[in-house]
Amino acid sequence: MTSILVVEDDDAIRTAVVRGLRERGHAVAAVGGGLAGLEHILHERPQAVLLDLGLPDIDGLTLIAMIRAASDVPLIVITAQDDDPTMIKALDSGADDYVVKPFGTEQVAARIRAVLRRGGRDLTPSITKVGGLVIDESTRTATLHGRALELSRKEFDVLALLASRRGQVVTKRELLSEVWQQAYGGSDRTVDVHLSWLRRKLGESAAEPRYLISVRGVGVRLVDPDAGDA
């Protein structure tokens, strides 16, 4: 479990990020101001920080410099400003990475894993086992009872997301948002097609599922067929 601090003044964004990261097993704290964030970093020592640049009480770039004067915590900027000069200033000030709004939780989770790996502090397992299925995110490979599965990039992303939330129902909207970055306006048909392809490669069908259990009108969940999860 990785301890993460989210510094974001927008209530809706802060709530969504916190919920998404907690669902992935992280311990998440959140504050709406920069100075409160700095105090939390100094006293609680989180393992990673997500920092919005547009804060109400202090300039984000100034805050990055203040954090860096006191801590080497991995720092990811989350911002609506996608211009190169701003990103360069953020990185030069001490940020380790950045993501531009809007973004999916899976993208942020991947960035967190990346900065922790670069600092030799990756505390999240890259290998997930569900029954005879093994998903290795570090090599982007999956095997079923020792046999390699030939998955497309999106198929692997769908499978990895479901594996990260094993046993939980993941909605099609969430899959569209986090795998295709289409929170609105995307087609559920895209998800259905990829789930169909995945089922075929897992040796099952919608009529006779084993690993991928559809919840009608809601979404799908990944289960261990031999553990009674279904």
Side-chain angles (χ1 to χ4, degrees), residues 9 18-19 24 26 29 34 45 52 64 76 88 108 110 117 120 128 146 163 180 192 213 217 224-226:
D9 67 316
V18 169
R19 181 177 62 247
R24 285 155 182 77
H26 299 295
R45 299 190 179 278
D52 179 28
I64 291 174
I76 301 173
I88 291 171
V108 172
R117 281 197 301 272
T128 304
W180 282 271
D192 292 335
I213 307 299
D224 179 351
D226 300 317

Side-chain angles (χ1 to χ4, degrees), residues 32-88:
L35 296 179
L38 179 60
E39 183 177 358
H40 183 98
I41 291 168
L42 295 176
H43 289 91
E44 302 299 330
R45 299 190 179 278
Q47 293 161 319
V49 175
L50 299 177
L51 173 65
D52 179 28
L53 289 182
L55 297 169
D57 58 343
I58 187 171
D59 174 71
L61 296 176
T62 300
L63 180 59
I64 291 174
M66 293 173 67
I67 292 171
R68 278 292 165 257
S71 173
D72 64 350
V73 61
L75 179 59
I76 301 173
V77 166
I78 51 176
T79 178
Q81 304 176 55
D82 60 354
D83 57 293
D84 286 344
T86 299
M87 294 303 98
I88 291 171

Side-chain angles (χ1 to χ4, degrees), residues 53-182:
L53 289 182
L55 297 169
D57 58 343
I58 187 171
D59 174 71
L61 296 176
T62 300
L63 180 59
I64 291 174
M66 293 173 67
I67 292 171
R68 278 292 165 257
S71 173
D72 64 350
V73 61
L75 179 59
I76 301 173
V77 166
I78 51 176
T79 178
Q81 304 176 55
D82 60 354
D83 57 293
D84 286 344
T86 299
M87 294 303 98
I88 291 171
K89 287 179 182 178
L91 295 171
D92 285 345
S93 296
D96 295 286
D97 202 348
Y98 67 89
V99 289
V100 178
K101 302 173 185 177
F103 49 77
T105 307
E106 193 61 29
Q107 180 187 7
V108 172
R111 299 289 182 122
I112 292 170
R113 292 193 296 270
V115 297
L116 289 173
R117 281 197 301 272
R118 289 200 295 268
R121 291 173 284 192
D122 188 2
L123 304 178
T124 57
S126 64
I127 297 178
T128 304
K129 298 180 180 180
V130 183
L133 183 62
V134 179
I135 301 103
D136 188 338
E137 292 191 55
S138 65
T139 60
R140 293 185 62 83
T141 58
T143 60
L144 182 62
H145 300 299
R147 175 179 58 85
L149 298 176
E150 295 185 7
L151 303 177
S152 69
R153 182 168 62 89
K154 291 300 187 186
E155 288 170 353
F156 181 85
D157 289 344
V158 170
L159 187 61
L161 175 55
L162 293 174
S164 73
R165 296 170 59 179
R166 168 183 170 168
Q168 301 177 32
V169 178
V170 180
T171 69
K172 294 179 181 179
R173 291 287 99 187
E174 289 174 306
L175 287 167
L176 280 169
S177 174
E178 300 190 22
V179 175
W180 282 271
Q181 282 76 56
Q182 296 180 9

